[in-house]
Amino acid sequence: MEKNPTYLFVAAAALMDDKGRVLVQKRPEGKPMAGLWEFPGGKVETGETPEAALVRELNEELRIDVAESSLEPVTFASEAVENQHLILLLYKCRQWSGRLESADLLDLQWLPVDALHAIPMPPADGPLVHALSMRLANPV
């Protein structure tokens, strides 16, 4: 009998500025996939909705306040990672308050969506970038 996988739910944000660029941050040294660029966000804790987790993570990581109503679901990715199964949920966000700064002094950069295809990102982020590009090219 196959063992049931342990699921790891992660919520991430495609924060978009008024020029249509998306914020990415570099994973820190000492962490898995260090040096790769990713969307800000983090783990969904027990008892949290993905939206509540993302609001919390954006405040902890970037010192910004985001209303759950400002988060628009875009897509998700599903991938086996070591002994867990990652479910990565991507939301688009254009509104927040506060001065955006990295609490952990991570490198940040604003990039056009198409430029995200050319930077090194974790494997699970590839489908997210593709779906985000498609969503922005063909808004619903």
Side-chain angles (χ1 to χ4, degrees):
M1 180 182 285
E2 187 175 310
K3 182 181 173 191
N4 289 333
T6 300
Y7 292 99
L8 174 62
F9 289 91
V10 174
L15 293 172
M16 301 193 69
D17 69 7
D18 57 357
K19 296 176 184 168
R21 298 177 303 174
V22 177
L23 182 76
V24 289
Q25 63 187 17
K26 192 177 256 188
R27 292 190 57 79
E29 294 303 318
K31 296 250 181 167
M33 295 184 259
L36 299 181
W37 293 93
E38 67 181 356
F39 297 105
K43 295 176 188 169
V44 178
E45 301 293 342
T46 303
E48 280 185 315
T49 64
E51 297 83 2
L54 189 51
V55 166
R56 175 184 52 75
E57 288 283 349
L58 292 173
N59 183 266
E60 290 173 4
E61 289 182 9
L62 300 173
R63 305 291 188 232
I64 58 173
D65 294 313
V66 175
E68 287 187 28
S69 60
S70 295
L71 299 173
E72 178 186 330
V74 175
T75 192
F76 74 95
S78 175
E79 180 174 307
V81 177
E82 297 175 10
N83 60 350
Q84 298 180 326
H85 196 91
L86 172 68
I87 307 294
L88 182 54
L89 308 164
L90 182 67
Y91 294 81
K92 183 172 68 168
C93 180
R94 294 182 184 267
Q95 296 180 324
W96 60 87
S97 61
R99 184 172 175 269
L100 195 143
E101 60 183 274
S102 175
D104 295 327
L105 304 176
L106 300 177
D107 290 337
L108 303 173
Q109 63 177 328
W110 290 98
L111 295 172
V113 174
D114 291 341
L116 297 177
H117 295 283
I119 62 172
M121 297 182 87
D125 286 31
L128 303 181
V129 171
H130 177 73
L132 181 62
S133 295
M134 297 302 293
R135 170 72 66 89
L136 294 173
N138 304 300
V140 177

